[in-house]
Amino acid sequence: MAALTFVRYLFKLEHMENGLENKVVVITGASSGIGAATALLLAQRGAKVVLGARRLDRLAALAARIAAAGGEAAYARTDVTQRADLAQLVQLAEERYGRLDVLINNAGIGPISLLDELRVADWDEMIDVNIKGLLYGIAAALPVFRRQGFGQFVNIASTAGLRIVPTMAVYAGTKFAVRAISEGLRQEAGDKLRVTIVTPGVIDTDFANSMTNPELKAQTKDMQGKLGISPEAIARAVVFAIEQPADVDVSEIIVRPTAQS
């Protein structure tokens, strides 16, 4: 019994020391990929996670998995193109847990194509999800952070926001915007709020599912299968940024496969 009590003490001590114990973290795009991996790791490390995505059945399954492992999770169907949905997700965190420590703006899509294809509906959707969704998240959380006197944004960008290649003009444009908005937010945030950009390279997720060009979808899935690293690699980077002391702001982390050019 004494040994078991000591093990529990060490487990509790580990959580206290890792800077994540009882932190309340909202995650958009949490139903799969980077969002789901990050939710699982944060919950494992003692954070309370509030999950948002459009696929409610997947959110429910993820929350149940977290609860079964001893973690805490709440969730709500969230379409980041709807400002009210982001406001309600942040409100859920406050009502359930009394505060909000971190907002992870993770939701994003990438239906890439050549501009000559004139897939304007895809362009509109990328702007709505990748840029306006980010802004709606900021609009929901920033007043809460100001009122609390603390808080952190973690915004998920992409290496497409560092280097432009054919077919990715619009997607890259949205990710350049994520970087620009995030840096502007960091400069305006003052000494109480933190802003982190996490920039993934090729990750083995369902990213290609949003693509409407069949050839590019197949090429992307093939590249992901050959080069892609796991979403857990990005989750670890997110956790690293969050668990730093309050006076340490990790501005950007780039994580890409070793084989990625």
Side-chain angles (χ1 to χ4, degrees):
M1 181 65 68
L4 181 59
T5 301
F6 182 65
V7 169
R8 287 173 177 165
Y9 167 76
L10 289 178
F11 179 76
K12 182 178 180 181
L13 184 63
E14 177 188 357
H15 277 230
M16 291 174 64
E17 289 178 345
N18 68 29
L20 295 174
E21 178 73 7
N22 292 322
K23 278 199 171 182
V24 179
V25 183
V26 167
I27 308 171
T28 67
S31 60
S32 64
I34 292 170
T38 302
L40 288 167
L41 184 56
L42 284 168
Q44 178 186 335
R45 299 288 298 277
K48 297 175 172 63
V49 293
V50 181
L51 314 173
R54 288 179 290 188
R55 294 177 290 188
L56 195 58
D57 57 334
R58 291 200 177 193
L59 290 179
L62 179 59
R65 182 178 172 187
I66 289 169
E72 292 191 52
Y75 63 93
R77 186 186 184 280
T78 305
D79 180 348
V80 299
T81 69
Q82 304 300 312
R83 182 179 177 185
D85 282 13
L86 269 302
Q88 290 168 7
L89 190 65
V90 167
Q91 185 178 6
L92 173 61
E94 287 193 284
E95 291 176 349
R96 183 69 60 89
Y97 300 118
R99 69 177 193 278
L100 174 64
D101 293 285
V102 184
L103 172 64
I104 302 175
N105 284 304
N106 167 68
I109 59 169
I112 61 174
S113 62
L114 292 169
L115 291 171
D116 276 320
E117 295 180 26
L118 298 179
R119 295 178 184 259
V120 178
D122 288 350
W123 304 351
D124 287 340
E125 192 173 9
M126 280 187 279
I127 291 168
D128 287 345
V129 174
N130 299 354
I131 301 178
K132 292 172 71 175
L134 169 74
L135 290 170
Y136 291 160
I138 293 170
L142 187 56
V144 177
F145 290 163
R146 292 298 191 197
R147 185 172 67 248
Q148 294 176 161
F150 62 87
Q152 182 176 9
F153 291 97
V154 178
N155 299 330
I156 307 300
S158 167
T159 51
L162 302 171
R163 177 172 175 263
I164 303 169
V165 297
T167 74
M168 288 197 177
V170 178
Y171 177 68
T174 66
K175 293 304 183 177
F176 269 82
V178 169
R179 293 172 54 80
I181 293 165
S182 299
E183 175 58 15
L185 177 61
R186 186 193 67 79
Q187 293 183 25
E188 294 179 15
D191 61 354
K192 302 298 183 184
L193 309 186
R194 302 191 294 172
V195 181
T196 299
I197 306 167
V198 175
T199 298
V202 180
I203 312 299
D204 189 11
T205 67
D206 57 4
F207 172 79
N209 289 352
S210 67
M211 297 179 185
T212 57
N213 180 309
E215 182 180 354
L216 285 176
K217 178 184 282 191
Q219 290 175 1
T220 301
K221 287 187 174 182
D222 182 63
M223 178 180 63
Q224 288 179 300
K226 292 177 179 177
L227 296 182
I229 55 178
S230 73
E232 286 74 20
I234 308 304
R236 291 191 294 271
V238 172
V239 166
F240 171 80
I242 294 173
E243 69 183 357
Q244 299 307 305
D247 62 344
V248 176
D249 196 356
V250 179
S251 298
E252 182 168 11
I253 304 174
I254 302 172
V255 182
R256 56 163 66 95
T258 306
Q260 183 178 343
S261 62

